[in-house]
Amino acid sequence: MSADDRPIRNVLFIMCDQLRWDYLSCYGHPVLQTPAVDELARRGVRFDAAYVQSPVCVPSRMSFYSGRYVSSHGATWNHVPFPVGQLTLGDHLARAGREAILAGKTHVIPDVASLERLGLPRDSREARMRLDGGFGELDRYDGHSPPGTESGYADYLRRHGYDSRDPWTEFVVGGVDPAGGRAEGWLLRNAHLPARVAEAHSETAYMTDRALAFMREQGDRPWVLHLSYIKPHWPLMAPAPYHAMYRDADTGRIVKADPATENAHPVLQAYRKAHDDCRSYAREDVVRHVRPTYMGLVKQVDDHLRRVIDYLDESGRAKDTLVVFTADHGDHLGDHGLGEKELFYEQAVRVPMIVVDPRASADRTRGSASDAFVEGIDVVPTVLDALGLDAARHVVEGRSLQPLLHGEGVAGWRDAVFSELDYAFRDARHVLGRPVDQCRGWMVRTRRWKYVHWQGLRPQLFDLQHDPDELVDLGDAPGRGLDAVRAEMKDRLLEWHSARKVRTTVDEATVVRRTEDWRGNGLFIGVW
Amino acid sequence: MSADDRPIRNVLFIMCDQLRWDYLSCYGHPVLQTPAVDELARRGVRFDAAYVQSPVCVPSRMSFYSGRYVSSHGATWNHVPFPVGQLTLGDHLARAGREAILAGKTHVIPDVASLERLGLPRDSREARMRLDGGFGELDRYDGHSPPGTESGYADYLRRHGYDSRDPWTEFVVGGVDPAGGRAEGWLLRNAHLPARVAEAHSETAYMTDRALAFMREQGDRPWVLHLSYIKPHWPLMAPAPYHAMYRDADTGRIVKADPATENAHPVLQAYRKAHDDCRSYAREDVVRHVRPTYMGLVKQVDDHLRRVIDYLDESGRAKDTLVVFTADHGDHLGDHGLGEKELFYEQAVRVPMIVVDPRASADRTRGSASDAFVEGIDVVPTVLDALGLDAARHVVEGRSLQPLLHGEGVAGWRDAVFSELDYAFRDARHVLGRPVDQCRGWMVRTRRWKYVHWQGLRPQLFDLQHDPDELVDLGDAPGRGLDAVRAEMKDRLLEWHSARKVRTTVDEATVVRRTEDWRGNGLFIGVW
């Protein structure tokens, strides 16, 4: 090993919430400049075809944290507890005596019922780990309700003069309207107003402070840190000056299909009809009002990432730290007549993914872009690989990105990505009259096609070569060519289901060791 | 409610191990008379199309105990621990303050690694329940190695004069050869010899004694008892007089395909080539030597079931007890050139299933046979339904048989059954050169067709209408008609995979209650 190729000792796994891949300058945004993220891209590999395992926070994050598809970990939507038996990055690190530390959001819904059934005291170390999805808590803050005792943010705010029982609601997601009255950050109409909190005390600033303090305190001790920003997720209210930075900027086109040719799928129709966000974002004035705030929140994250990069450089940690930058899903921001996320349009399922491997072995890919299909489940195996730890192949379904980072070629790399949705908790279920256990959809996306299999409803199909904006649904379009495509996509889904790792309680070495081990255990079966 | 229609208070869930459906007189065996099982069939419904979720002990049993398919519970083969998060009959009963008691075999491989990871003391009540698959132990005895401390059988044997450190090996599965030497019950060649144990002290007798003692002790207190016989499972050595009872009987035909037309599948070829049992049972002399012993062991179970039925009648319990009689899988007994189980021939995946519902509401089906497709996973929901308990529909994948038992028609009943196999622990994997995580197969069986999807290998297909003995594999036979059949079977498998219950940590009522509950929780998403 040369002096320039010291091993990776630390991992900084940065996640944004609801950050579309194309709202970063290195991914081509024409207006929004994000020099810090661009700097990461220059130092590593920018993956241009990165997809999440569900276009919703909890299922996507549990896939990031477990390295497993949603059907394998079972937390299919935001209200679904993460099953007690599921292993996460923290568990895999713990086997090697290491720990994954959390600063920010995980959105783990703990499986309290199972902990109680198992008689586990809530305050045991093991139960705490389950409650936090396997992370050790530095500061857990999910960001869509007032911070609880697992975060220091509320106390921090009070110490800095935000005198309130609930300083988050009052100052962080609260603004002042022109008449001096209270402006609720929950309402899109207030997106142009500044938050009452000072930028230096805002969520993004606070969590960056916490992460920096942790890294400094660690000194030379190795660490794995998940720095998980809530932004640019709603409530859409930015602190000054970010609230106004893009107020007059070009907010881009709004992708809209021609209703006459769109062939809108029943689930799509139900979303548009039933959900607040879709009704709001269907209005162009709303979209134009909101996008500048979203851009400002992204810009703010980028500015704080600069502080993180500077720390890594100044401390020397840049040389032995693997950095992953990604998001849990995107945001339609009015495209396709939709707000928020869910469904399987590129705006929702495609995310930025940048990985910086500082080792000399990654030099030849440094600053390059890769169009290899990567998935959220690849982060855990990439981290384990970088740290030289056991890959837990009997549990982890993702693939280490290291061969791609080291330019070792992509022969045999995956040629499709998969994502899942469970809309049972949404009004769309009522609109469609579906039973609560039959509201699931599965996307398979190849280079050319995106196919979605919906329970009890016709599939969706988009030809991404001729229709990259996904404006014409060919799910039930006639034609033998399309029949063949749909049959192939179903075959791919069947193979995907067949490959799910359900045998998680024995590792592969044990399977090998115990193959035909009857006689060694005194059993003679069928021996004459 | 009439005096004759008292509610069900007790459940007796009787399982035999490795009992083929057609080795019972009520299922048509021409020689072997099983009047006690036949009596159960006269009192209830005999299901003539009952299938197990895997033709192997552990995965099949975990499906019986959890009401979930193998892909859903994850214990895919005999060496695979049953994951700590899986719920069983005992857990569902426990929520209602009731208990499932075990006398005999469960073959639960406990998920000790997870218990340790969760910091659960091994001797806690909750851990004990996990170790036993949710059963309360009366006497746990898996029957293929010397009974341990969780069974009283070894001590019982010693008390009855079998003076040995290991009386099971020495007396129960040990015989005496004509020269006075030791005859090992593990070896098929010794199947004609009597076990050294007296019949009254044999496994079947002992476990029946334990069950009867338990039921008597309960008196009027309601109970749920799993009486789980190890027999007619190997070691194939019966106590006198059962060892000789069928020695000269007609042991039936041996189902064998013409090698020229069989089109033997690679997995089938690998089994025949690599496994002891298949090599032994390929010899007709072995089959003719072994089947009489198997028949004797079945006969012995039947004789002891008579004692159970007599107790139920004498105590009055027959009037308020649901009785289920079934098996975890069958036995090829030389058919298809195979021994033992595994693969998906009817001999392995089809089992007897008789359910006695004593209520007047079941009178109109009493003594009838049903050709409805039923599965092992139906036992848990049937038991919960009979006891009037919550069906746990978010977890349990089987269906209550009560509508069938009460003659309410079978409109909308399932039109196919599913079974799974993981041969990673078998030498067949070596023969085929398959990776350990790609050795799975899935069977879908409709009225007419049996289709098996194998990872990485061609499928199997049998036309059960024209080839009920499954002698010609059409898995890769040409023809547009067969192409259409195979496509339909793959569609069925895709739908089956899609329907797996993975969202097990929230019940359906919670999904309904929490649908679009944002505003009630102070969240206003996408509201203008």
Side-chain angles (χ1 to χ4, degrees), chain A residues 2 17 49 68 152 172 181 206-207 234 248 313 359 365 371 386 415 437-438 459 518-519:
Chain A
S2 77
D17 197 304
R68 290 164 60 75
V172 178
Y206 169 78
M207 208 51 78
W234 48 256
D248 302 316
D313 286 343
R359 292 171 292 190
T365 65
D371 67 353
D415 64 352
D437 63 344
Q438 293 173 41
W518 315 106
R519 296 186 184 207

Side-chain angles (χ1 to χ4, degrees), chain B residues 307-326:
Chain B
R307 298 168 62 208
V308 173
I309 294 171
D310 287 348
Y311 168 77
L312 294 173
D313 286 343
E314 289 156 16
S315 64
R317 286 287 74 84
K319 291 180 180 161
D320 57 12
T321 300
L322 183 86
V323 181
V324 176
F325 175 82
T326 188

Side-chain angles (χ1 to χ4, degrees), chain A residues 18 20 188 254-257 262 265 267-283 286-287 291 331-348 426 460 470, chain B residues 526:
Chain A
Q18 203 146 324
R20 257 170 80 149
L188 298 181
I254 299 172
V255 177
K256 275 231 158 101
E262 182 180 28
H265 190 271
V267 175
L268 175 61
Q269 292 183 44
Y271 266 69
R272 286 179 178 161
K273 178 178 173 186
H275 300 161
D276 282 335
D277 57 299
C278 299
R279 285 194 300 255
S280 297
Y281 281 86
R283 291 168 43 192
V286 172
V287 175
R291 284 188 180 181
D331 190 324
H332 288 113
L333 288 172
D335 289 338
H336 301 290
L338 298 168
E340 294 293 318
K341 49 262 187 179
E342 304 195 283
L343 304 180
F344 297 104
Y345 288 110
E346 296 285 284
Q347 287 84 352
R426 303 303 315 270
Q460 288 179 287
E470 307 171 272

Side-chain angles (χ1 to χ4, degrees), chain B residues 10-11 16 27-28 43 58 92 108 148 164 182 203 247 295 337 339 353 365 378 406 419 424 449 452 465 494 513:
Chain B
N10 319 297
V11 175
C16 288
Y27 279 95
R43 295 179 181 201
V58 164
H92 298 304
V108 170
S164 170
R182 179 178 168 69
E203 294 158 299
R247 195 52 45 197
M295 291 163 73
M353 173 89 79
T365 65
D378 296 338
H406 292 189
S419 195
W449 302 100
V452 182
Q465 184 179 316
L494 179 57
R513 182 171 53 76

